Amino acid sequence: MPATTDDAASLTTASTGGEGGATSTVLGLLKACHPVPATAVTLLAALLAAAVGLGPVPGTTAVAAVATGQLSIGWCNDRIDLRRDRAAGRRDKPLATGVLPPAAVTAAACVSLLVCVPLSLACGPSAGSVHLGCVGAAWSYNLWLKRTGASWLPYTVAFGLLPAFLTLAVCGDWPPVWLTTAAALLGTAAHFANALPDIDDDVAAGVRGLPQRLGRRTALALSAVLAFSSCAVLTAGPAGAVTPAQVLLLTMTLTLCALAMAAPPAVASGRTPFLVIMALSGADAVLLVLAGRALPSG
């Protein structure tokens, strides 16, 4: 689809070089990397690293590996969706408006992926291989599975294996089953929530992942139920008595789930459900820290 006159002018400005063009490209790259989910996953990894007892240096290395992996995934996603975003008239996408050159996003995705490899392997061969498997699952979603009924699978696998990356890095052990289960449930919930704002455009463009096949209301309900289930597993899974703080957080997540499922159509079609799931992710992270004594330690 050809760019409009305004888009072509923006592309020319971004590619002319100089301070203005460089600044525009950097800002465009920051916006195109999907900063909200990338930041949320990186922060979750940082909290997990603290919970399992990774020291400052290995912890920083592990979090940097996750951050670079997330950047590569976000840029890959926007680059692959360029034509679809232009057809949908997405003014919030720097690539779709022509502000950001496609070559810059392609280069950024490849460089960040290449940097992710040594950072991951620096955490140990087993841990590094697991994390690269997580990143590979996310790339498989971008390249293929997002258009199929198995669109949920990369999220389930990648989130489910994230705790293993960190426990293998700290002590060479796999995490307990309850932790893997909770992380996998959270990742699956995030997939359904992430699809909600663009579900109509996706259907029009022929993207038929599982959320698009089920419809907005069913996808929203599943997202809320899965997120709450993740919190419930994190509360009940660790050994020992349930604390009042855990009960409070679980009650809060149940309330958020109820609000998300009861949202009117105008709200359900926006970014609110996704942000609610991000809030539930934060509650999951807090529950995980509270349950840190149940995790393998170095």
Side-chain angles (χ1 to χ4, degrees):
M1 178 177 178
T4 64
T5 302
D6 290 341
D7 291 343
S10 297
L11 179 56
T12 300
T13 300
S15 60
T16 53
E19 184 177 348
T23 301
S24 177
T25 299
V26 170
L27 292 176
L29 285 172
L30 289 175
K31 193 171 183 179
C33 74
H34 294 216
V36 173
T39 301
V41 173
T42 302
L43 286 176
L44 180 60
L47 289 169
L48 277 167
V52 301
L54 272 176
V57 174
T60 299
T61 303
V63 173
V66 172
T68 53
Q70 288 300 304
L71 288 173
S72 76
I73 294 163
W75 284 322
C76 169
N77 184 280
D78 259 27
R79 182 63 184 87
I80 290 173
D81 287 348
L82 173 56
R83 290 188 178 181
R84 184 173 66 87
D85 289 339
R86 280 182 176 171
R90 293 292 298 269
R91 307 300 300 177
D92 59 325
K93 298 278 192 176
L95 266 177
T97 60
V99 172
L100 186 62
V105 179
T106 301
C110 293
V111 169
S112 56
L113 181 62
L114 289 174
V115 173
C116 177
V117 173
L119 285 173
S120 299
L121 295 177
C123 299
S126 296
S129 297
V130 165
H131 182 247
L132 292 176
C134 294
V135 175
W139 273 67
S140 74
Y141 170 83
N142 289 339
L143 295 170
W144 171 43
L145 289 175
K146 71 182 296 180
R147 302 167 188 82
T148 73
S151 60
W152 56 273
L153 186 59
Y155 277 80
T156 304
V157 171
F159 274 76
L161 288 178
L162 181 59
F165 166 50
L166 297 165
T167 59
L168 286 168
V170 71
C171 63
D173 289 336
W174 288 84
V177 174
W178 60 264
L179 178 55
T180 300
T181 301
L185 287 169
L186 177 61
T188 311
H191 168 53
F192 285 103
N194 193 43
L196 290 173
D198 302 326
I199 200 166
D200 295 329
D201 291 339
D202 287 341
V203 171
V207 177
R208 299 281 294 171
L210 187 56
Q212 292 81 10
R213 294 166 189 246
L214 295 176
R216 185 183 306 279
R217 274 296 175 185
T218 302
L220 175 56
L222 274 175
S223 180
V225 169
L226 288 166
F228 173 73
S229 299
S230 176
C231 293
V233 170
L234 282 172
T235 301
V242 176
T243 67
Q246 289 175 311
V247 173
L248 176 61
L249 283 170
L250 192 61
T251 302
M252 290 173 59
T253 60
L254 181 59
T255 302
L256 286 171
C257 286
L259 290 173
M261 294 176 68
V267 175
S269 63
R271 297 291 294 177
T272 301
F274 175 71
L275 295 176
V276 168
I277 299 303
M278 290 301 99
L280 295 179
S281 302
D284 274 358
V286 174
L287 285 169
L288 178 57
V289 172
L290 292 174
R293 64 183 181 278
L295 300 174
S297 58

